Amino acid sequence: MPARSRVLGLASELGPIVGAENVLTESSALEAFRKDMADFEATPAVVARPSTEEQVGRILDVASRRRVPVVARGAGTSLTGAVVLDGAIILDMQRFNRILKIDPVNWYVQVQAGVVLDDLNQALRKEGFFFPPDPASSFLCTVGGAIAESSGGMRCVRYGTMRDWVLALRVVLANGRSVTLGEPLAKNRVGYDLVHLMIGSEGTLGVVTEAHLKILPVPSVPFVRMLVTFDDWPSAGRAIQELRRRQVMANLMEFMDRETVLAVNAAFHTNFEEAEATLLVDLDEPLVDVAEAIFRAHGARRFSRAANEAEAERFYTVRSHAYLAVKELASGVQIEDVTIPIDRLAEYLALVKEVATRHGLRMPTLGHAGDGNVHPTILFDRTDSASRAAATAASQDLCRYAIRVGGTITGEHGVGVQKVALMREQMHAHGAEEALRLMKGIKQLFDPKSILNPGKYVEAA
Ligand SMILES: Cc1cc2nc3c(=O)[nH]c(=O)nc-3n(C[C@H](O)[C@H](O)[C@H](O)COP(=O)(O)OP(=O)(O)OC[C@H]3O[C@@H](n4cnc5c(N)ncnc54)[C@H](O)[C@@H]3O)c2cc1C
């Protein structure tokens, strides 16, 4: 905990920049900024709530001069400790909440960093457009947080991650200066691609204040949303692999195991079939027959099509809220995010079960099976060091399997403080040590005093 006099000194410099009412120093007010959504915790020195790029620049100036770390914060839904830091200035970006322009010809939206993704999509739908990336936290998470985490989500199986949808950014650098990166154009070949350097940089290279994002017209092909159940996990995995082999592209291909569905039913008063494995699937109507035949050939026991739009929406919402239900099952939770080559999916699902049994842990499993990125959610007892150690060992087993088979330790949640050592291990195993050295040089160039989210991610690896 920083000395009170230091905090008050800092607050007295930040007050004139954002207004005293937008500087929080009381411990009761800081409480809401102490944790992320996997319960990584740390106590900030102060929270500042800027609303303009100029204010962000002046705050970074103060931080740089005083050498106080700064953590930009969207909605705080991070799962890796990326958004909490002891003694930091938290830059709460939620006042950057305006959609500036929807361009119906160039097909982009210009938006401030604090806009919540679902709010963005609500506005876009009124104009006949949508923004495809949809982390399951889209009802909370912000444009800036999703860019900084290069978030994925449920529609990734068809549309890719945030990395595929950002055209241009306004960013405030550690030295307080603002910069435009990229152009809101279909094509642009000027200079190194700093937009993509910023995407997935976890708040360590700059503070995003504004973005131009690609958008698409709402698809006109009718689609079918359904739940497909199986008696075991690998069968669901094999069905997905076969769909790929047969070139059937889904719009959603989400996995939930029995324990996840039990938790969901209890939390949301639903009555989904409590099968060993459930897939939530969206398919364009012309693909449904062939897909159902493939599912059946791989042991699907039941198909439940959404009867109408409201039910389709309910299926989607329940899946997107599933982590929140599962998280309540134990005092400690470590959500895994390895991504494996999709041809290994059935093998990986079998491994998850085996690892849970071997370590004596409950691991409700959910996530984006269609792109090889399911999330075993490792439950443990926070008060029991043996239970915590078992959770860490289980996580390492899964990550090391991914590294061995050419997968990655994180497909979308990022590294934060959770996976620094494993990131180093992956880069070493995959011949990327020189790339890591270059990355450290980039951090040094962008943030020579290391004030932006220090001690995490690339810098710490
Ligand atoms: C229920 C639930 C479901 C989830 N599902 C998914 C999923 O399907 N896919 C997925 O990828 N993730 C998922 N996540 C993780 C998380 O929601 C995403 O990473 C999300 O995009 C983070 O957005 P945020 O606004 O909450 O960012 P925060 O948690 O506030 O911040 C995350 C990181 O971004 C940085 N940051 C935030 N704003 C800015 C900014 N303006 N400029 C620079 N850096 C910034 C922070 O410093 C931090 O490093 C889920 C989380 C929960 C709780």
Side-chain angles (χ1 to χ4, degrees):
M1 186 68 186
R4 190 73 193 151
S5 57
R6 189 170 145 259
V7 170
L8 293 178
L10 197 51
S12 71
E13 283 208 70
L14 299 179
I17 299 173
V18 291
E21 70 284 10
N22 289 309
V23 179
L24 315 178
T25 58
E26 293 305 319
S27 54
S28 55
L30 299 185
E31 194 51 38
F33 299 85
R34 278 191 63 249
K35 280 191 181 180
D36 70 4
M37 286 210 175
D39 293 339
F40 283 91
E41 45 189 315
T43 306
V46 56
V47 174
R49 305 180 63 238
S51 61
T52 66
E53 189 177 279
E54 189 239 340
Q55 290 174 0
V56 173
R58 288 174 65 196
I59 294 170
L60 290 184
D61 230 24
V62 171
S64 176
R65 184 163 30 79
R66 287 174 164 261
R67 293 203 174 233
V68 181
V70 177
V71 181
R73 182 174 177 116
T77 64
S78 157
L79 300 167
T80 64
V83 78
V84 293
L85 188 68
D86 278 323
I89 299 173
I90 300 290
L91 269 187
D92 176 6
M93 297 299 288
Q94 298 215 24
R95 294 174 73 206
F96 285 78
N97 59 4
R98 285 186 304 135
I99 297 170
L100 302 170
K101 180 179 178 187
I102 297 172
D103 189 316
V105 176
N106 294 300
W107 288 10
Y108 68 69
V109 59
Q110 182 184 3
V111 64
Q112 289 190 315
V115 170
V116 172
L117 285 185
D118 275 2
D119 295 344
L120 175 62
N121 261 319
Q122 226 172 17
L124 288 172
R125 284 208 177 248
K126 287 186 196 144
E127 310 295 324
F129 287 99
F130 79 120
F131 178 66
D134 59 341
S137 55
S138 60
F139 56 102
L140 294 171
C141 78
T142 63
V143 166
I147 290 171
E149 290 289 1
S150 189
S151 296
M154 318 225 292
R155 286 193 287 248
C156 273
V157 65
R158 173 151 201 163
Y159 295 103
T161 67
M162 287 299 289
R163 207 171 275 288
D164 302 302
W165 293 92
V166 183
L167 293 169
L169 294 171
R170 281 291 289 174
V171 175
V172 183
L173 301 171
N175 61 14
R177 275 189 246 148
S178 296
V179 59
T180 297
L181 308 176
E183 304 283 352
L185 298 169
K187 293 179 174 178
N188 168 38
R189 272 288 290 106
V190 166
Y192 294 137
D193 189 346
L194 299 185
V195 173
H196 282 85
L197 182 59
M198 208 52 68
I199 301 168
S201 62
E202 301 192 8
T204 64
L205 297 181
V207 177
V208 175
T209 55
E210 199 180 296
H212 283 81
L213 307 173
K214 285 191 255 184
I215 54 176
L216 282 182
V218 174
S220 51
V221 183
F223 70 89
V224 170
R225 182 164 295 167
M226 59 183 157
L227 299 171
V228 187
T229 54
F230 296 82
D231 287 328
D232 64 274
W233 299 13
S235 294
R238 278 190 289 274
I240 291 171
Q241 288 169 210
E242 185 59 17
L243 286 169
R244 301 268 306 186
R245 200 169 289 117
R246 302 270 295 275
Q247 302 173 350
V248 177
M249 183 182 265
N251 307 326
L252 285 184
M253 188 61 76
E254 294 290 310
F255 180 88
M256 288 187 282
D257 78 334
R258 183 165 178 278
E259 202 166 6
T260 301
V261 175
L262 279 167
V264 157
N265 279 344
F268 306 120
H269 312 293
T270 48
N271 59 351
F272 293 114
E273 183 192 346
E274 288 161 2
E276 264 304 301
T278 300
L279 295 178
L280 166 64
V281 183
D282 254 23
L283 289 161
D284 289 349
E285 214 166 69
L287 297 174
V288 172
D289 287 346
V290 64
E292 283 196 354
I294 292 170
F295 283 131
R296 222 172 265 119
H298 287 82
R301 55 188 258 179
R302 194 163 157 203
F303 299 86
S304 317
R305 288 193 188 193
N308 49 42
E309 215 171 294
E311 190 168 41
E313 198 52 42
R314 198 164 59 88
F315 285 4
Y316 186 95
T317 306
V318 159
R319 161 58 195 96
S320 66
H321 286 59
Y323 169 68
L324 300 180
V326 165
K327 186 177 181 302
E328 295 308 310
L329 297 177
S331 61
V333 65
Q334 178 159 345
I335 179 161
E336 253 319 314
D337 181 41
V338 309
T339 302
I340 38 91
I342 298 164
D343 61 2
R344 297 273 189 167
L345 184 61
E347 178 182 291
Y348 178 64
L349 289 170
L351 176 81
V352 172
K353 275 248 168 194
E354 192 257 302
V355 166
T357 308
R358 178 150 38 90
H359 291 283
L361 291 162
R362 293 168 70 193
M363 286 173 30
T365 296
L366 59 141
H368 321 300
D371 46 35
N373 179 214
V374 286
H375 303 306
T377 307
I378 306 171
L379 304 178
F380 62 95
D381 179 351
R382 284 173 89 83
T383 62
D384 176 354
S385 58
S387 171
R388 188 185 286 270
T392 304
S395 161
Q396 285 173 348
D397 285 354
L398 297 175
C399 289
R400 290 191 175 130
Y401 165 83
I403 293 172
R404 236 180 6 259
V405 301
T408 178
I409 57 160
T410 172
E412 54 179 27
H413 294 167
V415 171
V417 292
Q418 184 192 24
K419 289 195 167 170
V420 166
L422 285 159
M423 172 177 166
R424 197 182 313 125
E425 227 173 285
Q426 176 177 327
M427 295 190 85
H428 173 70
H430 292 183
E433 274 170 332
E434 192 57 18
L436 182 57
R437 198 184 62 76
L438 289 170
M439 289 179 193
K440 286 177 183 284
I442 288 168
K443 167 69 176 170
Q444 174 69 23
L445 178 69
F446 272 73
D447 183 17
K449 292 185 183 170
S450 189
I451 59 163
L452 292 174
N453 220 351
K456 300 178 187 174
Y457 198 24
V458 167
E459 186 181 51

